[in-house]
Amino acid sequence: MQINERTNGGTTTRWPLLEPPEQRPEQRPRAHRPNLLKRRPWHVLEAPTGEFPAVDAEEAMGPQLPDEATVNFVLDLSLRIGEVQMSSGAGASDVTATIIAIAGALGLPHCEVDVIFTSITVTCHRGSDLSPVTALRVVRSRSLDYTRLTETEKLIRQIVRGNVGAEQAQTELERITQAPHPYPRWVATLSWGGVAAFITLLLGGGPDVALVAFVISGVIDRIGRLVNRYGLPFFFQQVIGGAVATLSAMAIVSSNLLTTDKPTLVVAAAVTVLLSGLSTVSAVQDAITGYNVTAAGRTMETALMSAGLIAGVVLALRIAVMLGLPRTPLPEVSGSTPQQLPLVVLGGAGAAACFALASYSKMRAMLVAAAAGAIGAAVYGSLMLAQLDGVSSSAIAATLVGFCGGVLARRLGVTPLVVAVSGITPLLPGLSTYRGLYQIGVEPSGNISTLMTAVAIGLALAAGVVLGEWLAQPVRTGLGRLERRFAGPRMAGPLEAADRRLE
């Protein structure tokens, strides 16, 4: 062991390096200073003198936390709330901020959160003497129930503000998660049919086409619920939905029941309904905010569900050709006129409101979603009148939807995620998707450019919503002074920044 010598008044004192000297009996240790942790690195590099007392080896470093049972209870509560958000389509950054804020408000000052799309892991650090506590929860089910998400958001705000304790919050969360849907399932079925009907009107179809789209989409929803009872994977449900929509439209066209020259708008509306449940917005938000693993998982899910829809539509088109059903010309994207703009706005508002109702939203959320859909459709229709391309028009309209939702949704008691997803539903590229699939599956010289345009429109919508939410932050801060520091766009979870300091 290396020895250090120091001479003081002719007396030589020897002690090992990096170890403090033994205190003489007549020396009384001074009281512990609050800033001792800041001076600890100085003691490691140089032996302490009488001016700076030695660090007590029995003293634990780090925060003083509750007992282990309380830590486990708080972590379980935080994970359950994060699971509700994750299963409802919230982004990984929102879930992370929510868990950190809840844990800090309930007495756990330093936690680390890891979200990887199918599971959430939280680790609570308990200083140098105690091992950290880690809890994990798997996100098994993913269903759209925006009433449950909104009620959970209210509970989160109460916890962060200190109005609700851990046990009371646990009881309230059990009530929220175990409560039935606010509406019967047949209401959701009619709502999905309403989405298809309003989308048909937005695309330029007549009342008869809207009625047929309403019936077909309702049938597809009931078939999906039936096969879901037997545990059929969602990929094959998408295949069945795409095949039923296409074959039904072909059969109706061959029977001459429709007098319109755009019967395939029925398929386009049904495809839009099947695309509306995908988590494209969350995937783009996760990629932008740096949660690449979760973004990859969501993107893979979206791609797989889209592939199932593609397989169903192409299979139905092949069957129609084999059966000799009459081919119908692809509907061109109708050119907008100033006279048609009110109908486009009506279709956008109705489709967004019906989507919110199908996702079990309450009346206030439905009205806000209808306003967002109307704004998005009006902006999109106006830009198309100005001869702007579809991708740019979709991006600008989605940005405005995200901005309005970020500024007004929370003040109206609605989660911004509900407004964002509902508001861009009327703008989903159902017609472009069907056109691209028809060109690939039926025409001899298939062209994939139309399908790639549909993909570009979907990404533009998702990115526009995230950008609009980000642009709304300074405006929302100026209105309420609720948020001062942000790690990324917030579509769910608390507005206040979490305090991560060790105390």
Side-chain angles (χ1 to χ4, degrees):
M1 180 179 298
Q2 185 178 0
I3 303 298
N4 184 25
E5 296 186 1
R6 183 173 180 178
T7 302
N8 186 7
T11 302
T12 302
T13 305
R14 302 166 61 89
W15 65 81
L17 189 65
L18 302 181
E19 294 184 7
E22 296 183 0
Q23 293 181 348
R24 291 179 294 181
E26 60 271 14
Q27 289 182 339
R28 301 183 63 182
R30 296 188 179 184
H32 176 72
R33 296 187 178 184
N35 61 349
L36 184 59
L37 293 179
K38 295 182 180 180
R39 295 176 179 175
R40 188 181 299 272
W42 184 89
H43 282 282
V44 174
L45 297 178
E46 186 174 347
T49 62
E51 183 181 357
F52 299 102
V55 179
D56 187 5
E58 300 296 330
E59 180 184 4
M61 297 175 58
Q64 298 295 328
L65 298 181
D67 58 280
E68 188 169 347
T70 304
V71 172
N72 290 327
F73 187 85
V74 172
L75 291 184
D76 180 73
L77 173 64
S78 303
L79 284 172
R80 289 179 180 273
I81 292 178
E83 181 189 14
V84 172
Q85 288 186 318
M86 197 74 179
S87 62
S88 301
S93 59
D94 298 336
V95 176
T96 301
T98 298
I99 294 177
I100 291 176
I102 292 175
L106 296 179
L108 305 185
H110 193 81
C111 291
E112 297 293 341
V113 183
D114 183 27
V115 180
I116 56 170
F117 180 57
T118 56
S119 66
I120 307 173
T121 305
V122 183
T123 298
C124 176
H125 296 282
R126 302 190 295 169
S128 60
D129 287 358
L130 297 176
S131 60
V133 177
T134 300
L136 181 143
R137 190 167 187 87
V138 177
V139 182
R140 293 184 174 88
S141 62
R142 301 180 186 276
S143 60
L144 291 179
D145 190 336
Y146 286 152
T147 296
R148 181 182 304 163
L149 178 62
T150 302
E151 294 295 327
T152 305
E153 292 285 311
K154 295 179 181 179
L155 177 61
I156 293 170
R157 289 195 290 270
Q158 293 298 319
I159 295 174
V160 173
R161 293 170 182 172
N163 299 330
V164 177
E167 295 183 358
Q168 185 179 357
Q170 181 77 6
T171 303
E172 180 65 15
L173 182 63
E174 290 290 338
R175 183 195 66 81
I176 294 173
T177 55
Q178 295 180 3
H181 294 305
Y183 310 112
R185 292 193 177 273
W186 61 266
V187 174
T189 300
L190 295 179
S191 301
W192 288 120
V195 173
F198 280 108
I199 290 295
T200 304
L201 295 178
L202 191 147
L203 295 176
D208 53 347
V209 182
L211 179 61
V212 173
F214 176 88
V215 174
I216 291 179
S217 295
V219 171
I220 292 174
D221 180 73
R222 299 313 302 179
I223 293 176
R225 294 184 184 277
L226 178 62
V227 298
N228 190 46
R229 296 178 182 176
Y230 297 97
L232 184 68
F234 195 68
F235 171 82
F236 298 105
Q237 296 183 31
Q238 289 286 93
V239 174
I240 294 175
V244 170
T246 306
L247 286 177
S248 300
M250 294 293 181
I252 293 175
V253 169
S254 62
S255 61
N256 296 324
L257 293 178
L258 296 178
T259 58
T260 180
D261 58 344
K262 300 178 180 179
T264 50
L265 290 181
V266 175
V267 186
V271 168
T272 303
V273 172
L274 294 173
L275 289 174
S276 61
L278 303 182
S279 55
T280 308
V281 174
S282 301
V284 174
Q285 181 188 5
D286 291 340
I288 291 175
T289 53
Y291 292 84
N292 298 318
V293 175
T294 309
R298 293 186 189 272
T299 303
M300 184 62 191
E301 181 189 49
T302 302
L304 189 62
M305 298 306 103
S306 302
L309 178 60
I310 291 172
V313 173
V314 174
L315 177 62
L317 291 174
R318 291 291 186 182
I319 293 175
V321 172
M322 293 173 57
L323 295 178
L325 296 179
R327 297 186 182 183
T328 57
L330 280 175
E332 297 292 337
V333 179
S334 58
S336 300
T337 61
Q339 293 76 17
Q340 293 177 341
L341 190 58
L343 188 62
V344 171
V345 174
L346 175 63
C354 289
F355 176 83
L357 181 60
S359 303
Y360 301 106
S361 297
K362 291 186 177 180
M363 183 60 65
R364 177 179 297 181
M366 287 176 53
L367 295 177
V368 177
I375 292 173
V379 173
Y380 178 82
S382 301
L383 294 177
M384 293 299 291
L385 284 175
Q387 303 300 319
L388 197 64
D389 61 283
V391 177
S392 301
S393 301
S394 301
I396 296 175
T399 301
L400 187 58
V401 169
F403 179 82
C404 296
V407 172
L408 301 177
R410 293 185 187 271
R411 291 187 170 272
L412 297 176
V414 181
T415 305
L417 181 65
V418 179
V419 180
V421 177
S422 302
I424 67 171
T425 295
L427 306 179
L428 290 175
L431 180 58
S432 299
T433 302
Y434 177 67
R435 285 177 54 85
L437 297 179
Y438 188 93
Q439 292 174 353
I440 294 175
V442 176
E443 295 181 356
S445 57
N447 188 0
I448 200 174
S449 61
T450 304
L451 189 59
M452 290 298 100
T453 301
V455 174
I457 292 176
L459 294 177
L461 290 173
V465 167
V466 176
L467 177 61
E469 172 64 23
W470 181 80
L471 293 175
Q473 291 175 14
V475 178
R476 188 168 55 215
T477 303
L479 291 175
R481 299 296 178 186
L482 294 177
E483 48 191 346
R484 297 181 182 274
R485 296 184 300 273
F486 271 86
R490 287 282 176 268
M491 294 188 184
L495 293 178
E496 295 85 353
D499 190 359
R500 299 287 301 274
R501 296 175 297 177
L502 293 177
E503 298 177 353

